[in-house]
Amino acid sequence: MSQTHFGFQQVDENEKASKVRGVFDSVASKYDLMNDLMSAGLHRAWKAYTVQVANLKAGERVLDIAGGTGDLARAFARKVGDTGVVVHTDINEAMLRQGRDRLLDEGLILPTSLADAEKLPFKSESFDLVSVAFGLRNMTHKDLALAEMCRVLKPGGRLLVLEFSRIAEPLRKPYDWYSFNILPRLGSLFAGDADSYRYLAESIRMHPDQATLKAMMKSAGFGHVDVHNLSAGIVALHAGIKC
Ligand SMILES: C[S@@+](CC[C@H](N)C(=O)[O-])C[C@H]1O[C@@H](n2cnc3c(N)ncnc32)[C@H](O)[C@@H]1O
């Protein structure tokens, strides 16, 4: 059996998805509060930047993968309007329900689908834009997921991957200290779960850096990939075009 990583642990490949499910089942109800606390609200600016780069037009078709509580899906739905479509998807039912309820409370009814990014239940060449925010890091076979994202995009379609990445070197030490000391404490205090936030810190360190992810997107079929570092590389937005 092949091995992969779950944070800093080595696990069987077929165990990782259920461990990741455990994390998001545990944090779903406190997910939005924790995002604001951990990033001091910065995740809102990273997502707003992503929406700017998406440059969506009325009538476009969008697939939001690992959409969780629906921040991007909601912003995209406002851009594509009534003539467009945003499909809100996630592999985790608890996260998807949390997102769907929140969108409904805000008067938005979007098509919602429980979907594994590694086996997308959508026809080839059916979307103008695919997005995945803070989701790719958790996937077992990132290469398969990126190939699936490419398959469902129309020719010329764009993929936006917003994800934690490699921070600029001078900031690494304080960032590590914050990640391994403060995040689990915030998790324990506000979500009753230190381990899931320890996993978050570890999984960020195990995720491909900017250049590696760019190369992976090119191998998956994206002819052009731009990398936008945000907040000194705490996060990077990779924008790929299927060409
Ligand atoms: C950190 S949350 C991100 C939620 C949302 N996109 C955001 O930016 O706030 C990561 C999400 O990835 C989802 N996920 C993990 N593995 C996945 C997979 N193979 N396919 C689809 N979603 C997955 C999790 O269920 C979780 O909801």
Side-chain angles (χ1 to χ4, degrees):
M1 186 60 60
S2 299
Q3 296 270 298
T4 188
H5 49 82
F6 172 74
F8 290 164
Q9 286 173 48
Q10 284 295 307
V11 297
D12 280 352
E13 263 191 357
N14 58 4
E15 273 183 85
K16 174 159 172 167
S18 69
K19 287 183 168 289
V20 170
R21 188 179 327 119
V23 167
F24 290 102
D25 281 347
S26 163
V27 304
S29 64
K30 294 286 190 287
Y31 179 80
D32 291 322
L33 170 70
M34 283 299 296
N35 269 357
D36 278 334
L37 285 172
M38 290 183 304
S39 72
L42 262 180
H43 75 104
R44 294 170 185 258
W46 300 328
K47 287 170 181 163
Y49 183 78
T50 303
V51 175
Q52 288 293 315
V53 171
N55 193 24
L56 284 164
K57 308 279 183 303
E60 287 197 302
R61 290 180 53 82
V62 179
L63 174 64
D64 187 30
I65 292 176
T69 55
D71 282 347
L72 281 186
R74 176 183 45 182
F76 289 156
R78 294 195 173 127
K79 298 284 180 190
V80 301
D82 291 342
T83 54
V85 178
V86 178
V87 185
H88 172 222
T89 71
D90 200 286
I91 201 172
N92 184 295
E93 199 175 331
M95 290 292 283
L96 202 59
R97 274 182 196 283
Q98 201 74 27
R100 187 197 52 186
D101 290 352
R102 203 177 132 210
L103 294 170
L104 282 175
D105 287 346
E106 295 176 19
L108 271 177
I109 302 175
L110 303 186
T112 296
S113 165
L114 207 55
D116 181 352
E118 297 181 21
K119 268 181 282 168
L120 289 172
F122 301 104
K123 282 199 299 194
S124 299
E125 304 193 354
S126 49
F127 293 97
D128 298 291
L129 183 126
V130 171
S131 57
V132 54
F134 305 108
L136 188 66
R137 185 172 34 89
N138 300 294
M139 295 172 193
T140 309
H141 304 103
K142 296 173 185 49
D143 49 348
L144 282 186
L146 291 170
E148 277 291 88
M149 295 173 201
C150 193
R151 179 183 67 75
V152 300
L153 275 171
K154 297 175 187 174
R158 51 243 199 251
L159 170 65
L160 295 179
V161 181
L162 180 67
E163 189 51 270
F164 292 105
S165 202
R166 207 60 83 245
I167 194 168
E169 186 57 43
L171 298 174
R172 189 159 301 173
K173 274 200 173 152
Y175 181 58
D176 282 349
W177 182 85
Y178 173 79
S179 304
F180 290 104
N181 291 286
I182 304 300
L183 292 186
R185 272 182 218 181
L186 288 175
S188 167
L189 277 174
F190 293 96
D193 179 352
D195 287 348
S196 291
Y197 290 90
R198 201 166 291 115
Y199 161 73
L200 167 65
E202 293 179 2
S203 67
I204 291 170
R205 273 72 191 172
M206 301 306 288
H207 189 65
D209 64 12
Q210 288 86 336
T212 308
L213 179 54
K214 178 174 178 171
M216 288 169 72
M217 286 174 66
K218 288 204 152 196
S219 303
F222 294 91
H224 182 85
V225 180
D226 280 329
V227 183
H228 308 233
N229 275 313
L230 305 177
S231 306
I234 291 178
V235 162
L237 175 65
H238 284 67
I241 300 186
K242 178 176 176 176
C243 56

